[in-house]
Amino acid sequence: MFLPDLLQGKRILVTGGGTGLGKSMGRRFLELGAELVICGRRQAVLEETAGEFRAAFPNKVAWKVCDIRDAEAVDHMAHEIWAERPLDALVNNAAGNIAARTETLSARAIDAVLGIVLHGAAYCTLACGKRWLADQRKAAVLSIVTSYAWTGSAYVVPSAMGKAGVLALTRSLAVEWGGRGIRLNAIAPGPFPTPGAWERLAPLPAVAREFETRNPLHRHGEHRELADLAAFLLSDGAGFINGDCVTIDGGEWLKGAGQFNFLERLTDAEWAAFRPKKG
Ligand code: HXC
Ligand code: NAP
């Protein structure tokens, strides 16, 4: 799909890059010539992923243990990264989510999700952004949100609040920093099975099946499809795309939105009742 040097020379930090979609994006960025830094809370996970990547891409992968809810820890991570070699791009991918009836959530539960999704993304964006601005360095930020960032969603309310905030961060800074060489965009994925998301959001087989197939294409997304979109948005070829959010969900959210979409279940005989009567 792309020339193999699409991201040549770019150094990219993927938060939560040890697992799931972050890992798939990181692998694709490496294939396309990038250098990769991944971060997360669990050292063993980062070591394993980095080891796997290094076997194919020696000297191209670094990892940092960092809890992005801690602003000081994030700044320390950025300081260490810049001392090695400055970044060219940040992917705000790390997230936390709880599927529950909202009235059952404690204050700690709300803070746990918002701390990762909203505060974490803001701390990482600022830690990188202020360094890029000081260096007058061109850069790109890509944030992984969800389609319920703009629709909201029952049962994942702290995540919906956080993702809406990240979309606001993206659009606001795209204007504030765009003229100084920093582009900010977002991706809103539909269902892309990962152990982290499916254990928490679809632990029942019937829920998982419905989650994966209720979109108009009746399938889940492939990690490669999302990773390619991310690579394109970070590449110089996307240099005029700024402040946008690209949805990659097979049409899932629109299917839930259109007023008459429910008519898909009608039979031919029932459709006949919609035709004007002759004579
Ligand atoms: C109710 C819950 C709960 C649940 C946790 N809590 N799970 N409450 N229902 N299912 C409560 C706990 O009881 C606790 O409150 C508080 O939340 C914090 O929980 P901890 O386990 O102490 O927090 P922590 O270790 O910081 O873990 C954060 C986490 C966890 C968000 C709860 O799930 C996590 O680490 N997630 C990271 C990975 C992740 O979520 N990946 C999926 C992203 S998928 P009390 O008051 O009891 O102390 C995604 C996809 C979106 O975002 C869209 C899909 C299409
Ligand atoms: P995942 O594998 O659970 O990824 C979450 C990652 O975030 C983990 O690597 C986790 O590592 C890291 N993380 C969590 N809290 C952190 C913290 N405080 N500091 C640093 N890192 C932290 O889930 P995923 O499905 O790949 O999700 C990736 C992104 O895609 C998320 O933004 C999610 O909202 C979004 N998304 C996913 C889907 C989907 O269908 N999968 C759909 C829409 C949006 P540690 O636990 O080691 O910290």
Side-chain angles (χ1 to χ4, degrees):
M1 184 162 172
F2 299 123
L3 294 174
D5 63 351
L6 185 79
L7 299 176
Q8 198 69 42
K10 291 195 190 296
R11 191 164 198 233
I12 303 172
L13 169 62
V14 180
T15 67
T19 66
L21 294 177
K23 183 175 175 181
S24 296
M25 287 188 280
R27 182 186 296 110
R28 189 70 182 124
F29 299 161
L30 287 164
E31 287 170 2
L32 294 167
E35 277 181 37
L36 184 68
V37 186
I38 55 176
C39 78
R41 293 167 297 180
R42 291 168 296 166
Q43 177 166 339
V45 169
L46 296 168
E47 268 177 348
E48 193 183 328
T49 297
E52 200 183 299
F53 287 168
R54 280 173 179 155
F57 305 98
N59 306 318
K60 295 273 192 178
V61 185
W63 55 267
K64 306 280 174 197
V65 172
C66 180
D67 186 334
I68 62 167
R69 288 177 284 195
D70 178 344
E72 271 182 33
V74 169
D75 206 58
H76 180 69
M77 170 173 69
H79 177 78
E80 280 190 1
I81 292 173
W82 253 256
E84 294 153 6
R85 198 194 136 200
L87 293 172
D88 301 286
L90 162 69
V91 180
N92 286 314
N93 165 80
N97 208 339
I98 296 173
R101 286 171 293 173
T102 307
E103 66 274 22
T104 68
L105 294 179
S106 66
R108 282 199 66 232
I110 291 167
D111 291 353
V113 174
L114 282 172
I116 307 169
V117 176
L118 182 60
H119 294 253
Y123 299 153
C124 291
T125 304
L126 275 177
C128 294
K130 68 184 186 190
R131 287 172 170 82
W132 286 324
L133 293 172
D135 299 348
Q136 297 188 327
R137 194 180 178 95
K138 277 181 68 174
V141 178
L142 182 63
S143 295
I144 310 302
V145 296
T146 62
S147 55
Y148 58 63
W150 57 90
T151 63
S153 176
Y155 308 114
V156 284
V157 168
S159 171
M161 293 163 65
K163 297 291 191 183
V166 173
L167 196 53
L169 175 85
T170 301
R171 290 175 170 153
S172 305
L173 289 180
V175 174
E176 192 175 332
W177 290 354
R180 289 184 278 169
I182 303 174
R183 293 186 300 116
L184 294 98
N185 290 297
I187 291 178
F192 286 80
T194 65
W198 261 233
E199 275 162 22
R200 292 174 175 88
L201 305 178
L204 303 171
V207 171
R209 204 165 38 251
E210 185 169 356
F211 192 28
E212 290 165 19
T213 58
R214 73 199 170 94
N215 64 75
L217 304 192
H218 304 304
R219 70 168 175 90
H220 61 72
E222 299 296 338
H223 284 212
R224 173 65 182 265
E225 293 171 317
L226 185 134
D228 278 340
L229 175 60
F232 168 66
L233 289 171
L234 291 180
S235 75
D236 296 337
F240 203 51
I241 303 179
N242 185 33
D244 210 347
C245 178
V246 181
T247 304
I248 177 165
D249 73 345
E252 180 189 40
W253 86 268
L254 283 170
K255 184 174 176 185
Q259 192 169 29
F260 284 87
N261 291 352
F262 69 100
L263 296 185
E264 75 169 352
R265 66 168 183 257
L266 294 196
T267 63
D268 289 348
E270 286 169 325
W271 273 117
F274 285 64
R275 296 188 74 96
K277 304 273 178 293
K278 291 214 173 88

